[in-house]
Amino acid sequence: CSWALANEPDSAFYQLIYIGEKGIYHDIAHLSSDSDLNTLHADKRWNEVLSLVEANREKISANWDKPLVVKLDSIFQEDQKYRRQINEIQERYGNDSPEMNDLWELIDLKDSINLTKVKKILDERGWVGADVVGPQGNQTLFLVIQHADLETQEFYLPMMREAVADGRAYASALALLEDRVALRQGKRQIYGSQVGQDPETNEMYVLPLEDPDNVDERREAVGLGKLQDYISNWGITWDPEVYKEALPEIEAKSKRN
């Protein structure tokens, strides 16, 4: 991606072919839709890369449960389709606008339908691993539970913990669910994955976090990058000392909101 954005196609294709041949990269959907690579599409080598990655996907997916993969792909699309519209509608109409409220009502409806389908899968087959439904299918199970109500999250959290221990789910995804559940239970999050926004100032901030000094060590242990890199997406600067001083007010603010 970096080489493509820097308009260095030779280096970009070298890396793509390398990860295709040596890393057996197989995420054809991501490769095809990644806008960072748009400058490469006109190059004749692009179709060669697509063919290589598609061939990898066919090899890896030979033993996948194809009907379940298709079902989870449909759920994934429904989960993400309307969430991709949030920023655009928020910027155009405002956070408290009727248009934004309508979008959230639609998202809640889709989430409810998706949750019914995913609960049936989990109850009948357990937390199905990527070796059965592919990485996206496996991630879809997490996304739907991550967007569910607290009671549902608490019910399936032990199942996901067991799946991570057995290699059937990703520790980085579990960390996000652990944080969301902890905050909803009135506790502090562990990995700093959840951020909030002050409705009066629109300032973004890290929601109450346990042991701020060692958060990066905990994040590294589950495959997450440094907290500063993550929260920079919201224009937040991470300073543990400043955060610890502000934590009482952050906790009070979170309870009010």
Side-chain angles (χ1 to χ4, degrees):
C1 289
S2 298
W3 285 121
L5 291 170
N7 201 27
E8 295 285 350
D10 290 343
S11 297
F13 278 111
Y14 175 84
Q15 298 293 339
L16 286 170
I17 292 171
Y18 184 86
I19 64 171
E21 293 179 345
K22 305 297 183 182
I24 320 297
Y25 182 76
H26 61 277
D27 193 344
I28 188 69
H30 185 188
L31 181 69
S32 303
S33 62
D34 193 335
S35 60
D36 289 350
L37 303 175
N38 284 351
T39 57
L40 306 179
H41 291 186
D43 193 298
K44 65 179 182 180
R45 291 169 290 184
W46 179 248
N47 286 333
E48 296 173 11
V49 170
L50 289 179
S51 296
L52 172 61
V53 174
E54 180 61 36
N56 288 341
R57 186 181 186 281
E58 289 299 319
K59 291 177 186 176
I60 290 175
S61 66
N63 296 319
W64 288 358
D65 183 330
K66 297 300 198 309
L68 188 52
V69 169
V70 171
K71 180 181 293 185
L72 285 169
D73 181 67
S74 175
I75 293 172
F76 176 83
Q77 299 305 327
E78 288 294 293
D79 180 271
Q80 293 294 298
K81 179 167 59 177
Y82 301 102
R83 283 182 165 85
R84 294 192 188 104
Q85 301 175 24
I86 291 175
N87 288 340
E88 179 184 352
I89 292 180
Q90 190 175 40
E91 291 175 3
R92 181 179 297 182
Y93 300 106
N95 195 46
D96 296 323
S97 64
E99 289 82 1
M100 198 66 185
N101 292 334
D102 289 344
L103 179 61
W104 277 115
E105 286 185 11
L106 180 58
I107 289 174
D108 289 342
L109 174 62
K110 296 295 183 179
D111 284 353
S112 176
I113 295 171
N114 286 339
L115 182 58
T116 299
K117 296 176 181 178
V118 164
K119 286 171 70 173
K120 187 174 189 297
I121 294 170
L122 294 174
D123 293 345
E124 293 179 354
R125 303 189 55 170
W127 205 284
V128 190
D131 58 327
V132 177
V133 294
Q136 180 176 289
N138 181 256
Q139 189 74 350
T140 299
L141 299 175
F142 156 73
L143 285 174
V144 173
I145 298 302
Q146 179 79 336
H147 296 148
D149 58 277
L150 176 59
E151 183 178 359
T152 298
Q153 290 175 338
E154 290 175 327
F155 182 83
Y156 289 105
L157 184 56
M159 181 187 290
M160 190 177 185
R161 288 171 179 158
E162 183 179 343
V164 169
D166 293 343
R168 291 178 287 110
Y170 299 102
S172 57
L174 174 61
L176 271 61
L177 183 59
E178 295 275 16
D179 275 357
R180 185 162 291 193
V181 169
L183 288 170
R184 289 176 127 182
Q185 291 174 335
K187 304 174 185 176
R188 295 177 180 176
Q189 60 177 327
I190 302 300
Y191 303 98
S193 66
Q194 307 298 303
V195 299
Q197 183 175 29
D198 189 313
E200 297 179 0
T201 65
N202 290 326
E203 179 185 7
M204 305 297 294
Y205 59 94
V206 177
L207 289 167
L209 173 66
E210 186 70 35
D211 186 19
D213 290 320
N214 298 298
V215 62
D216 280 337
E217 286 79 0
R218 297 193 297 275
R219 289 175 64 86
E220 183 179 5
V222 296
L224 295 172
K226 290 186 178 300
L227 182 59
Q228 178 59 76
D229 294 338
Y230 174 66
I231 62 177
S232 63
N233 293 311
W234 293 276
I236 307 172
T237 300
W238 178 244
D239 185 325
E241 296 304 319
V242 172
Y243 184 83
K244 284 185 290 186
E245 290 183 9
L247 187 53
E249 174 57 28
I250 289 173
E251 290 189 307
K253 182 164 42 177
S254 299
K255 290 177 181 177
R256 290 196 303 268
N257 298 337

